[in-house]
Amino acid sequence: MCGIVGYVGDKQAADFLTEGLSKLEYRGYDSAGIAVYDGEKIRVEKCVGRLAALRDKIKDDVPQGTIGIGHTRWATHGRPSDVNAHPHTDCSGDFVVVHNGIIENYLTLKEELIEKGHAFKSETDTEVVAHLLEEVYNGDFEESVREVLRRIEGSYSLVFMCRQHPDELICTKQDNPLVIGLGDGENFIASDIPAIISRTRRTYILNDGEMAVVKKDSIVITNRKGELVTKKVFEVNWNAEAAEKGGFEHFMLKEIHEQPKAVRDTMSQRVAKDGKSIVMDELKWTADYLNDFNKIYIVACGTAYHAGLVGKYYIEKLARIPVEVDIASEFRYRDPIIDEKTMLIVVSQSGETSDTLAALKESKRRGAKTLALTNVVGSSIAREADQVLYTWAGPEIAVASTKAYTTQLILFFMLSLYMAEILGTLPKERIAELVAELQKVPAQISETLSDVEPIKTFAKQYGFNEDVFYIGRSLDYDVALEGALKLKEISYIHAEAYAAGELKHGTLALIVEGVPVIALATQKSVYEKTLSNIKEVKARDAVVIGIAAEGDDELEKYVDHVMKVPETDELLIPILAVVPLQLLAYYAAITRGCDVDKPRNLAKSVTVE
Ligand code: F6R
């Protein structure tokens, strides 16, 4: 989720590069850099921190030249640092590259290239691309880039510069965005439209596998086979603010729609080549290591805590280790029983939440082994924990967490399968079956997102004015908690989640005619039980919206409306079932005119107690 820019023309490249990057800081802001050809060599300037740090670094000696590339980074491989910042170069400095995405086979390529004598400077996956280009370069820039593309696997948008070809940039993309802005005697490249909108509104939007050779007065686009592609000019008619949100009205909606990609990225490199098991190179756990623990604590706040509840279910069900889940602000003060036989898993999107960090430090002090699940490389929690698993969701800007939650669930699911295989708690065939189902999830989320109209209608129709109840059993209850939190925080409607079986122990007194109840019934193992709880609320004339899996023709007989999500293993359904709840909260907030991205009283990262 980094930001990329490129310029070729008559003007000073550094001006556009820094201006363009400033519009892309929402895509990543842990380091930034530019590379400009100065007539002799390609000069690279980069540093850790926000773009302001780079501007400050070069202010008295701005790289001069009319062709260049730039990057603002959101770290995946390698912590934020000067050396890990992009652009990356080969050994000679003649080949320079910026990259957005993940090169999945970088470790194999890196080993190969080191054997051939290449010296690496950074911990990034991107640097292999520059060295690989140096390795295969045969005097033909375009053909050499094609060879690089044949050898790399993963997702990317890439822009290449080569000292020997100082009048052209080559760019390409796979599963990551890339646009070319058409100027007069100059052309622009960017990962996103906001970067170029102040210079031109005429663009080519590249498709996967397309490659463009961009010079100041020509752009030649070819497909994977090298055949010419004729593209239509896309005139951007969004304003700058809308462009930043990728054309979505709010960051939250954009981030909800980014979930298929965020989930795919989080899975990448963690599914074995044969697709039958999970690999976690970051952990390298053994049965002896795991057998030493008698308990796991999962500790987090808010949405991350809700992800932890699902995590507990996964670990206990699949790996058969007892798990307790705690709210960090409670855990840190309740004198929990922790020793060397305890594993502590903290979950935090930002990696900076003060209560979670304190719980982590306290547990370490008492001897626990610690693992962090976080989205921010180099964050305080990532640095403090013994081991880290990253969700590769990219920056989450909206206060209400969406893609962080789904990627946390994915990570917990993979972690549990990984543990199950090591401990032998699940037959190999069952693991393979679950890994196969897991890989369908990104497409299933896309399917769930493909028709939001009914959800918009429910949000309007019911107005959701006072109280809304969310009910479910088992994993459905965990998702209900997250659905209720989403509605509360952005629409300010009082929403409560209850374990459906708990209703008759008190809360049923609140269910009267017309009260909206969102009933999740996706868990086959407790389906009949949930159904009888739904009948209880229906008998009190509640308005019930059911969430069910495709293929369930029963639920609609007992509720007012049903929203369906694709059918999958019941363990994976939470990752799909939360999506309509996120959308329902979003559209309810819109209907009420709330400031969706910046709800009242809330901050994105809670770094105080
Ligand atoms: C809700 C939300 C919060 C966070 C919580 C923890 O949408 O965003 O509840 O989940 O503040 O934040 P992180 O995950 O950054 O530790």
Side-chain angles (χ1 to χ4, degrees):
M1 282 297 291
C2 310
I4 284 180
V5 287
Y7 176 83
V8 50
D10 291 327
K11 305 196 179 89
Q12 286 301 319
D15 291 347
F16 168 72
L17 298 177
T18 48
E19 175 197 307
L21 289 179
S22 72
K23 303 290 189 309
L24 296 184
E25 274 203 300
Y26 68 93
R27 288 189 66 98
Y29 39 77
D30 62 45
S31 53
I34 58 171
V36 175
Y37 176 69
D38 66 8
E40 257 176 56
K41 59 177 190 327
I42 301 173
R43 183 175 153 200
V44 178
E45 292 292 346
K46 53 187 189 174
C47 67
V48 71
R50 299 191 79 118
L51 182 64
L54 176 70
R55 280 195 154 130
D56 201 44
K57 185 176 177 213
I58 60 172
K59 70 175 186 306
D60 298 326
D61 181 18
V62 177
Q64 301 292 302
T66 57
I67 181 166
I69 57 181
H71 190 270
T72 175
R73 180 168 186 247
W74 177 264
T76 54
H77 295 71
R79 78 212 136 81
S81 68
D82 288 355
V83 74
N84 286 337
H86 297 218
H88 286 286
T89 55
D90 68 319
C91 302
S92 63
D94 286 353
F95 301 96
V96 184
V97 62
V98 287
H99 167 223
N100 172 12
I102 296 170
I103 307 297
E104 292 184 359
N105 58 339
Y106 85 103
L107 279 175
T108 328
L109 289 171
K110 191 167 176 174
E111 274 165 26
E112 253 175 54
L113 288 160
I114 288 174
E115 213 146 86
K116 291 189 166 137
H118 291 259
F120 280 77
K121 301 171 278 290
S122 76
E123 304 157 305
T124 64
D125 52 337
T126 306
E127 195 185 341
V128 297
V129 180
H131 289 278
L132 190 56
L133 182 56
E134 177 187 22
E135 184 61 32
V136 302
Y137 182 66
N138 60 5
D140 183 334
F141 186 21
E142 193 181 331
E143 189 38 49
S144 306
V145 169
R146 276 190 202 288
E147 180 55 23
V148 168
L149 300 181
R150 281 191 277 271
R151 311 262 316 260
I152 60 175
E153 289 162 21
S155 72
Y156 47 79
S157 36
L158 284 161
V159 189
F160 299 89
M161 267 181 102
C162 170
R163 189 182 62 85
Q164 288 79 351
H165 301 261
D167 59 346
E168 62 189 277
L169 299 174
I170 296 186
C171 61
T172 183
K173 70 151 247 152
Q174 181 65 44
D175 296 327
N176 280 276
L178 202 66
V179 295
I180 300 172
L182 315 180
D184 192 8
E186 58 183 355
N187 286 308
F188 311 88
I189 298 173
S191 52
D192 305 81
I193 287 169
I196 53 174
I197 213 165
S198 65
R199 303 291 181 115
T200 179
R201 288 183 169 265
R202 304 179 67 235
T203 65
Y204 288 143
I205 313 263
L206 284 200
N207 291 325
D208 282 349
E210 289 177 348
M211 182 170 121
V213 177
V214 183
K215 300 187 182 181
K216 67 178 193 169
D217 38 28
S218 72
I219 297 166
V220 178
I221 302 177
T222 47
N223 64 17
R224 253 190 208 108
K225 292 187 207 142
E227 297 157 347
L228 275 182
V229 173
T230 320
K231 285 202 98 71
K232 273 209 184 119
V233 172
F234 173 71
E235 290 272 354
V236 179
N237 53 14
W238 307 326
N239 62 26
E241 203 199 328
E244 220 172 69
K245 295 172 188 143
F248 289 99
E249 208 176 324
H250 295 97
F251 277 113
M252 182 180 174
L253 191 59
K254 173 171 178 272
E255 287 160 9
I256 289 173
H257 282 267
E258 278 170 359
Q259 289 180 113
K261 176 170 159 47
V263 160
R264 198 177 305 119
D265 284 352
T266 302
M267 280 167 19
S268 86
Q269 288 177 301
R270 290 170 172 148
V271 173
K273 278 248 154 12
D274 64 5
K276 293 190 173 155
S277 62
I278 298 297
V279 277
M280 295 226 150
D281 286 335
E282 304 98 315
L283 304 182
K284 298 202 166 58
W285 287 348
T286 60
D288 281 349
Y289 177 78
L290 286 177
N291 281 324
D292 252 5
F293 296 109
N294 54 23
K295 180 188 248 179
I296 296 176
Y297 280 112
I298 299 176
V299 177
C301 304
T303 288
Y305 166 75
H306 293 157
L309 295 172
V310 178
K312 167 189 163 79
Y313 191 94
Y314 287 166
I315 295 173
E316 290 191 337
K317 180 97 184 164
L318 303 174
R320 310 304 292 163
I321 303 177
V323 182
E324 261 190 62
V325 193
D326 261 273
I327 293 169
S329 55
E330 292 293 317
F331 181 83
R332 61 185 289 197
Y333 294 116
R334 77 166 171 84
D335 193 14
I337 300 165
I338 300 173
D339 57 24
E340 314 68 52
K341 293 197 166 300
T342 311
M343 183 194 294
L344 179 96
I345 304 180
V346 285
V347 191
S348 173
Q349 185 283 128
S350 62
E352 301 296 344
T353 301
S354 142
D355 284 319
T356 312
L357 182 59
L360 169 62
K361 286 184 177 162
E362 179 59 17
S363 307
K364 260 180 92 176
R365 201 182 60 75
R366 296 191 192 196
K369 303 276 186 315
T370 58
L371 168 68
L373 268 54
T374 181
N375 193 34
V376 182
V377 178
S379 57
S380 305
I381 286 174
R383 279 181 280 128
E384 188 69 34
D386 299 322
Q387 293 187 296
V388 188
L389 285 174
Y390 289 107
T391 48
W392 287 321
E396 198 179 56
I397 310 283
V399 165
S401 190
T402 53
K403 60 179 179 172
Y405 175 78
T406 37
T407 53
Q408 284 158 359
L409 261 48
I410 286 283
L411 217 42
F412 267 124
F413 188 75
M414 288 193 291
L415 179 67
S416 309
L417 287 178
Y418 172 71
M419 289 160 94
E421 175 149 30
I422 295 173
L423 294 169
T425 47
L426 267 192
K428 282 200 177 332
E429 304 72 55
R430 176 71 178 139
I431 293 179
E433 196 179 289
L434 288 172
V435 174
E437 280 304 300
L438 173 72
Q439 288 174 281
K440 294 182 196 157
V441 169
Q444 290 169 328
I445 300 179
S446 300
E447 199 183 321
T448 311
L449 289 167
S450 62
D451 184 15
V452 299
E453 285 311 313
I455 303 178
K456 265 190 200 171
T457 312
F458 294 145
K460 276 208 187 108
Q461 189 174 343
Y462 296 113
F464 292 141
N465 284 325
E466 282 175 22
D467 304 303
V468 181
F469 293 90
Y470 289 69
I471 61 170
R473 282 173 175 255
S474 179
L475 285 170
D476 279 338
Y477 170 49
D478 298 336
V479 178
L481 285 163
E482 176 57 9
L485 178 64
K486 287 288 89 85
L487 191 70
K488 272 184 263 209
E489 63 181 330
I490 60 167
S491 75
Y492 319 142
I493 297 164
H494 175 235
E496 292 302 334
Y498 285 95
E502 212 19 45
L503 282 176
K504 55 180 150 316
H505 300 288
T507 313
L508 204 54
L510 297 174
I511 307 293
V512 292
E513 190 183 345
V515 169
V517 175
I518 317 289
L520 288 99
T522 71
Q523 297 295 301
K524 288 197 179 112
S525 47
V526 286
Y527 187 80
E528 292 304 325
K529 303 275 170 206
T530 309
L531 213 52
S532 48
N533 298 132
I534 291 172
K535 288 178 193 164
E536 281 163 14
V537 294
K538 211 43 229 161
R540 271 97 192 154
D541 292 325
V543 176
V544 183
I545 299 177
I547 309 277
E550 290 294 350
D552 174 345
D553 301 325
E554 189 67 8
L555 189 63
E556 54 211 45
K557 296 182 196 152
Y558 304 99
V559 301
D560 296 276
H561 300 282
V562 181
M563 294 196 266
K564 295 224 170 133
V565 294
E567 207 170 356
T568 177
D569 193 281
E570 68 176 2
L571 290 172
L572 286 164
I573 280 214
I575 305 166
L576 306 177
V578 75
V579 176
L581 303 187
Q582 295 167 340
L583 288 165
L584 195 62
Y586 174 79
Y587 288 113
I590 296 290
T591 307
R592 290 162 61 88
C594 300
D595 184 351
V596 173
D597 283 339
K598 293 200 184 72
R600 70 185 180 207
N601 307 341
L602 299 176
K604 182 65 189 161
S605 183
V606 187
T607 52
V608 290
E609 228 193 307

